[in-house]
Amino acid sequence: MSLAAIVILAFAMSTDAFAVAIAMGSQRANVLLKDALKVGLLFGIIEGVTPLVGFALGSIAASYVESWDHWIAFVLLGGLGIRMIIEGCGEPDAEADDPARPFWLLALTGFATSIDAMVVGVSLAFADTGILWPALAIGLATLTMVTLGLLIGRRIGAVVGKRAEIFGGLVLIAVGSVTLYEHLQ
């Protein structure tokens, strides 16, 4: 695999996480760079590990993962989106400006946006291509894009207002729906 192909693949795999990060950042009035880097690192690690897992599964789970990845992403992102919309319709709470989210929710969101990277790992196993450099590149691209997405989303949040969580939920549902639509076509 050429360096250019690895870079293009890495950024393509990080686009879902970038969109989700913008939505998450838009919910908060204050996102510090260190907090954005922490979330970016979590997403980057998850997104970098999933192609390794996919590669390891190889032909054993290929047909199962490829036939269900879009449904898994749709259900996880849709469920998280609905939860965010419900919370956005509720009364603002004292923790609304706290950029820290529960670890399990961040990890689940990171996993939901990385399922396609697992399929890439499976595909690379079939192509008998190395996985280390693509996995590292995917992780680094996702770290960068999620960090930037949170910081960009923070700026959007000031414009959108306190109900930005509804917007974030709609974005998650849209990302899950687009993933499902693209795989069903």
Side-chain angles (χ1 to χ4, degrees):
M1 200 171 202
S2 71
L3 178 60
I6 291 172
V7 170
I8 291 169
L9 174 67
F11 281 103
M13 291 295 96
S14 69
T15 56
D16 289 356
F18 178 66
V20 169
I22 289 175
M24 287 176 15
S26 72
Q27 300 168 36
R28 306 294 178 228
N30 185 24
V31 177
L32 301 175
L33 179 60
K34 70 175 185 143
D35 294 326
L37 282 169
K38 287 178 186 176
V39 175
L41 182 61
L42 175 64
F43 273 62
I45 289 170
I46 292 170
E47 193 92 24
V49 167
T50 55
L52 297 172
V53 171
F55 192 84
L57 293 174
S59 61
I60 297 169
S63 62
Y64 178 76
V65 173
E66 286 177 330
S67 64
W68 290 98
D69 69 328
H70 51 284
W71 286 105
I72 294 168
F74 175 73
V75 169
L76 291 175
L77 291 173
L80 292 171
I82 290 169
R83 179 181 179 271
M84 289 172 64
I85 291 170
I86 291 169
E87 288 180 1
C89 291
E91 292 295 319
D93 57 359
E95 299 176 24
D97 290 333
D98 180 10
R101 299 182 64 78
F103 178 81
W104 69 268
L105 183 58
L106 287 173
L108 183 61
T109 306
F111 178 73
T113 62
S114 70
I115 292 173
D116 55 347
M118 186 180 302
V119 175
V120 165
V122 171
S123 300
L124 292 177
F126 289 153
D128 198 25
T129 302
I131 189 65
L132 183 60
W133 290 114
L136 287 171
I138 289 169
L140 182 59
T142 302
L143 166 94
T144 303
M145 297 301 284
V146 167
T147 301
L148 290 173
L150 284 165
L151 296 173
I152 291 168
R154 175 189 65 189
R155 300 285 185 209
I156 294 171
V159 174
V160 175
K162 293 189 183 240
R163 298 291 185 198
E165 193 155 9
I166 295 170
F167 171 73
L170 292 172
V171 168
L172 287 177
I173 292 169
V175 169
S177 297
V178 167
T179 301
L180 179 63
Y181 176 77
E182 287 175 350
H183 281 84
L184 292 178
Q185 288 302 314

